[in-house]
């Protein structure tokens, strides 16, 4: 029987996940398909229940559903529970289990780039589920200074307060996106939707030199 997978998002047309998964399925000679499901937040719960009823095997989750889909799931893995954000859903016997692979993905990517876990200064653009995973990874080193810059400062402040409770030895600062200055930072991470479409304008960034590692 053909196994069915997909991705939930809004928008989702930009996603390369269908191409990547279909290529992998063909290479591995798996009888499986992968479909994009563009669904607004108001109906994501109905679609999820319908897909599970129809026998879907698993889903990826992208913006803006990574956090809002959490209470709709039957079970959460450890990282997903800590972050309160999910980007992967596995369906087993009709039960939905949420995972967050942003954590291990980001950590492994930094290692491949030669970054070692250490006390550092970093700026994160964005404050959604992806930004939360990035902050969780970087704050593992005591004494790290994180700057969270977001268009809506109140949302960035909520992320900062969450991190301070769980990582009290990490210094967290909140800024807006109107004046991004990375002087003194070793890392700049884009965890916003910038770059997905031409309509999303990138902020002006000051102090960016070859000494700053940039990760999108």
């Amino acid at each position: 029987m053909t196994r069915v997978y997909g991705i939930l998002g809004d928008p989702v047309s930009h996603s390369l996940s269908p191409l990547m998964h279909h290529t992998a399925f063909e290479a591995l000679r798996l009888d499986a398909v992968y479909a994009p499901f563009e669904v607004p937040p108001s109906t994501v719960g109905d679609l999820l229940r319908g897909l599970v009823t129809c026998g879907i095997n698993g889903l990826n989750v992208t913006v803006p559903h990574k956090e809002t889909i959490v209470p709709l799931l039957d079970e959460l893995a450890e990282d997903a529970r800590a972050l309160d954000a999910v980007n992967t859903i596995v369906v087993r016997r009709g039960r939905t289990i949420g995972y967050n692979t942003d954590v291990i993905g980001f950590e492994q990517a930094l290692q491949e780039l030669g970054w070692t876990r250490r006390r550092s200064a970093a700026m994160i653009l964005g404050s959604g589920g992806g930004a939360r995973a990035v902050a969780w990874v970087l704050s593992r080193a005591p004494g790290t200074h994180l700057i969270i810059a977001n268009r809506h400062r109140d949302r960035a402040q909520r992320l900062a307060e969450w991190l301070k409770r769980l990582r009290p030895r990490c210094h967290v600062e909140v800024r807006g996106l109107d004046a991004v200055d990375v002087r003194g930072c070793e890392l700049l991470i884009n965890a916003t939707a910038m770059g997905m479409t031409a309509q999303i304008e990138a902020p002006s960034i000051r102090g960016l030199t070859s000494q700053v590692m940039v990760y999108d």
Side-chain angles (χ1 to χ4, degrees):
M1 179 181 291
T2 301
R3 298 175 71 84
V4 181
Y5 302 90
I7 181 169
L8 300 177
D10 184 24
V12 78
S13 59
H14 67 279
S15 177
L16 296 178
S17 290
L19 175 61
M20 290 189 293
H21 283 83
H22 282 139
T23 302
F25 294 156
E26 289 179 4
L28 296 170
R29 297 182 179 179
L30 297 178
D31 183 10
V33 296
Y34 189 100
F37 298 99
E38 184 163 318
V39 53
S42 59
T43 58
V44 68
D46 293 334
L47 178 62
L48 177 62
R49 286 188 291 271
L51 290 173
V52 172
T53 300
C54 291
I56 199 162
N57 298 101
L59 291 160
N60 289 128
V61 183
T62 188
V63 292
H65 305 314
K66 289 185 177 184
E67 295 165 286
T68 56
I69 206 165
V70 167
L72 305 177
L73 304 178
D74 297 311
E75 187 179 336
L76 294 174
E78 183 179 354
D79 279 338
R81 187 181 302 108
L83 297 173
D84 199 30
V86 162
N87 73 343
T88 302
I89 300 171
V90 175
V91 182
R92 295 196 183 107
R93 301 184 184 89
R95 287 179 56 81
T96 51
I97 307 164
Y99 295 85
N100 194 305
T101 62
D102 284 338
V103 172
I104 189 170
F106 177 62
E107 194 161 39
Q108 288 183 350
L110 285 186
Q111 290 173 358
E112 291 173 4
L113 292 170
W115 180 267
T116 57
R117 186 186 300 179
R118 62 181 183 271
R119 176 179 175 177
S120 59
M123 177 176 289
I124 304 170
L125 306 182
S127 60
R132 186 174 292 231
V134 168
W136 183 250
V137 170
L138 295 178
S139 64
R140 285 174 173 166
T144 290
H145 179 192
L146 291 183
I147 303 168
I148 302 171
N150 195 57
R151 185 171 288 103
H152 304 289
R153 293 178 68 103
D154 56 340
R155 191 173 183 189
Q157 188 62 46
R158 288 197 295 271
L159 174 56
E161 291 171 356
W162 169 82
L163 192 61
K164 288 175 183 177
R165 287 195 303 271
L166 298 177
R167 305 279 205 217
R169 298 177 67 184
C170 177
H171 176 65
V172 188
E173 180 184 346
V174 171
R175 296 183 188 173
L177 277 179
D178 51 338
V180 178
D181 192 333
V182 297
R183 284 176 292 187
C185 293
E186 299 173 66
L187 278 173
L188 172 63
I189 301 99
N190 175 35
T192 73
M194 287 184 294
M196 286 186 179
T197 67
Q199 287 73 35
I200 302 177
E201 185 177 350
S204 174
I205 300 176
R206 296 193 295 270
L208 188 60
T209 70
S210 60
Q211 302 304 309
V212 182
M213 180 181 289
V214 180
Y215 184 92
D216 182 15

